[in-house]
Amino acid sequence: MARKLAAGNWKMNGTGADLAEARALAERHPSPSVEVLLCPPATLIHRMAEALSGSAVMTGGQDCHAAPKGAHTGDVSAEMLAEAGASHVILGHSERRADHDESDAVVRVKVEAARRAGLVAILCVGETEAERDAGRTLDVVSTQLQGSLPTGTMAEGLVVAYEPVWAIGTGRTPTVAQIAEVHDHLRDELATAIGSGARDVPLLYGGSVKPANAAEIFAVANVDGALVGGASLKADDFSAIVAALEGAVGE
Ligand code: PGA
């Protein structure tokens, strides 16, 4: 069975003052029955990891460069994230794919970099609204998944997040049936790619997850948690989502 994970993606939000939200979250969940992760902007990773040290809440990055070091102005390597205190890194988020033209091939070498540095890679896939309307959702996520997984990938160190682009930051979510269809498909595709270890890879849903819809989403088979943007910025909201995941595990 896959581990359960509630992951927060702060995107380009958060300064030192917001570390209080991370501390408040950790205080509310001193020994959670699920994994809890916050991914702040790179500038806050080290401070957040220190603020959360001794707590159950982990810290992650939102992207990394494929190389361990070198002449890449403005970039941060997986090794640097790990040294700063990150345990995870989000890769291939649709905002990176759109804003920085990241292809599956680019994402794949970043997943390799994460493994090299000992970070868990949270690999994001998801269709645009036009792709869904054209009936291409399953094809799109399959292509992204197969194209972004390095050869020899194992379950260990891998998390996959299904994030429909049209659901991110929009307040719109797929139906539970639509989520179930994609997650079942991703589990099968992972089995083809990596074998029986596929069942141990946490499959997260992401896109407008809120306290109000979290329990319904977590009740879907093959949903092992969530990647949460806006609702991860405030401890109150994210804590309610963590509690919903704990509730789903307890059932
Ligand atoms: P959202 O973002 O929860 O604000 O929709 C999710 C994500 O992009 O990971």
Side-chain angles (χ1 to χ4, degrees), residues 135-223:
R136 296 188 48 230
T137 298
L138 299 184
D139 281 350
V140 167
V141 298
S142 293
T143 303
Q144 290 174 332
L145 185 74
Q146 306 299 355
S148 308
L149 284 180
T151 1
T153 296
M154 291 175 304
E156 203 190 348
L158 180 67
V159 173
V160 173
Y162 167 54
E163 298 206 310
V165 177
W166 52 273
I168 294 175
T170 59
R172 296 167 59 204
T173 51
T175 64
V176 287
Q178 288 171 326
I179 295 173
E181 180 188 33
V182 178
H183 279 240
D184 290 352
H185 178 74
L186 286 171
R187 186 75 72 198
D188 289 346
E189 289 286 287
L190 273 171
T192 308
I194 70 171
S196 60
R199 73 173 80 93
D200 299 324
V201 176
L203 289 183
L204 311 184
Y205 167 76
S208 296
V209 177
K210 306 262 181 298
N213 61 18
E216 182 187 31
I217 292 169
F218 295 149
V220 176
N222 278 319
V223 172

Side-chain angles (χ1 to χ4, degrees), residues 14-105:
T15 56
D18 298 296
L19 292 173
E21 297 294 332
R23 279 193 215 95
L25 179 73
E27 274 162 25
R28 279 185 220 180
H29 301 278
S31 47
S33 58
V34 299
E35 294 185 346
V36 184
L37 170 74
L38 286 176
C39 301
T43 47
L44 277 187
I45 289 172
H46 185 62
R47 286 168 73 190
M48 184 179 283
E50 297 221 311
L52 295 176
S53 97
S55 87
V57 179
M58 301 176 285
T59 305
Q62 299 174 11
D63 175 50
C64 70
H65 194 276
K69 63 177 183 171
H72 303 288
T73 303
D75 278 318
V76 175
S77 73
E79 282 77 1
M80 291 166 177
L81 294 177
E83 199 210 11
S87 53
H88 293 61
V89 59
I90 298 168
L91 295 172
H93 190 282
S94 61
E95 287 155 14
R96 299 282 322 168
R97 291 178 187 264
D99 296 354
H100 300 270
D101 285 331
E102 290 192 8
S103 63
D104 293 333

